Amino acid sequence: MVSGRQYRVLIPKGKGPFPAVIFLHGPRGTGQRVIQSAFLVKPILERGYAIVAPTALEIEYRNGPGTRWVWNDAYYGRDDFEFIANMLEDVLARFPVDPAQIVTTDHSRGGSFAWYLACAVIDPCLKAFAPIAGTPVRGQPGDCASADFDFDMFYSHGHDDTVIPFAGSGSSWSDPGYMGAGEATLRLASSAGCQKDEVVEADSHDQRILSGCKTGSTVSVIGYEAGHGVPSGWSDLMLDWFETVNALE
């Protein structure tokens, strides 16, 4: 617990320090539910990674209260960047986690939060991000409006997603809408001055890789024939990517 807020940690078998995955839950979720999901945690633990799963505070939705990650302090009177920074400091002090091997991932609105967290550059240990099915909100670029960043992005999204569509969504009176998967990654790659654009097709997904970036970053977008959930096989694909880019640092 940090500043009265909770997070959960799972440590793999063996002797550390261990690489780690920070997993930020989606709307109305909790860190406890994340670590109770065998589908999510089992393949990560089997690869020798620790899992850190914090819990967001509640906001008031139209149909009642529920947890959600917040990046817009002007609207909600808080942002969660400071909590994540304090949590990371506490984790590194208490658990055998390697600060040079941390990847942050998240789902849905948690995925949207990951883009803002990446661009906010709250800690030099956080340089790899792998959000799922959550893009930045239209008209709310946050710190991503600046080209001054140095992180790697591996974004995954289902082509059949109806919650946050792969192609993005327009604004309405109740919802500002979300950027499309390709739109968000291409804007990020443009800001980073990426020169190389490659498309790789596999049986389970297609991947667009934008590299040769002036910042040294790589930006990828993965498209699955799936909906809003976490795709089967995603954990291994994401960790393969992370180990590749981390080896280049």
Side-chain angles (χ1 to χ4, degrees):
M1 184 172 288
V2 176
S3 302
R5 298 182 61 174
Q6 296 182 343
Y7 70 90
R8 298 286 186 263
V9 177
L10 294 178
I11 300 295
K13 295 178 180 179
K15 184 179 180 181
F18 301 102
V21 175
I22 298 175
F23 199 106
L24 306 175
H25 60 76
R28 301 181 184 273
T30 65
Q32 183 66 27
R33 291 180 192 169
V34 169
I35 66 169
Q36 290 175 335
S37 171
F39 172 78
L40 285 177
V41 304
K42 187 172 182 287
I44 295 173
L45 291 173
E46 287 177 345
R47 291 277 292 256
Y49 283 72
I51 299 171
V52 181
T55 296
L57 294 176
E58 289 189 342
I59 67 163
E60 191 66 34
Y61 291 92
R62 289 193 295 272
N63 58 350
T67 58
R68 197 181 89 174
W69 299 106
V70 170
W71 56 82
N72 188 345
D73 59 353
Y75 185 81
Y76 291 101
R78 77 168 207 267
D79 68 49
D80 286 316
F81 299 149
E82 183 178 7
F83 166 59
I84 297 299
N86 292 340
M87 179 202 72
L88 180 59
E89 181 179 4
D90 193 60
V91 166
L92 294 177
R94 296 176 57 196
F95 299 98
V97 167
D98 185 346
Q101 297 190 73
I102 298 173
V103 56
T104 302
T105 185
D106 2 52
H107 177 250
S108 192
R109 287 285 292 200
S112 299
F113 179 71
W115 293 79
Y116 297 105
L117 181 65
C119 294
V121 194
I122 63 167
D123 191 288
C125 294
L126 302 182
K127 296 183 67 175
F129 295 84
I132 311 163
T135 51
V137 176
R138 291 197 182 281
Q140 297 182 24
D143 293 307
C144 292
S146 168
D148 184 20
F149 66 86
D150 180 17
F151 57 81
D152 296 294
M153 176 69 74
F154 181 84
Y155 180 64
S156 303
H157 206 137
H159 288 297
D160 301 323
D161 193 339
T162 58
V163 178
I164 299 178
F166 185 92
S169 58
S171 61
S172 67
W173 68 270
S174 61
D175 188 348
Y178 293 88
M179 296 182 69
E183 176 188 6
T185 50
L186 284 173
R187 187 177 73 172
L188 196 64
S190 176
S191 296
C194 301
Q195 302 297 316
K196 187 176 180 181
D197 189 344
E198 178 185 9
V199 175
V200 178
E201 294 187 1
D203 291 339
S204 62
H205 64 275
D206 54 78
Q207 180 176 5
R208 189 170 188 176
I209 306 168
L210 299 127
S211 58
C213 310
K214 293 178 181 178
T215 61
S217 303
T218 63
V219 182
S220 290
V221 56
I222 298 281
Y224 288 89
E225 296 303 323
H228 192 61
V230 178
S232 177
W234 170 85
S235 296
D236 281 324
L237 191 66
M238 182 274 291
L239 292 177
D240 288 345
W241 163 82
F242 173 64
E243 290 169 6
T244 298
V245 299
N246 200 49
L248 298 175
E249 296 294 333

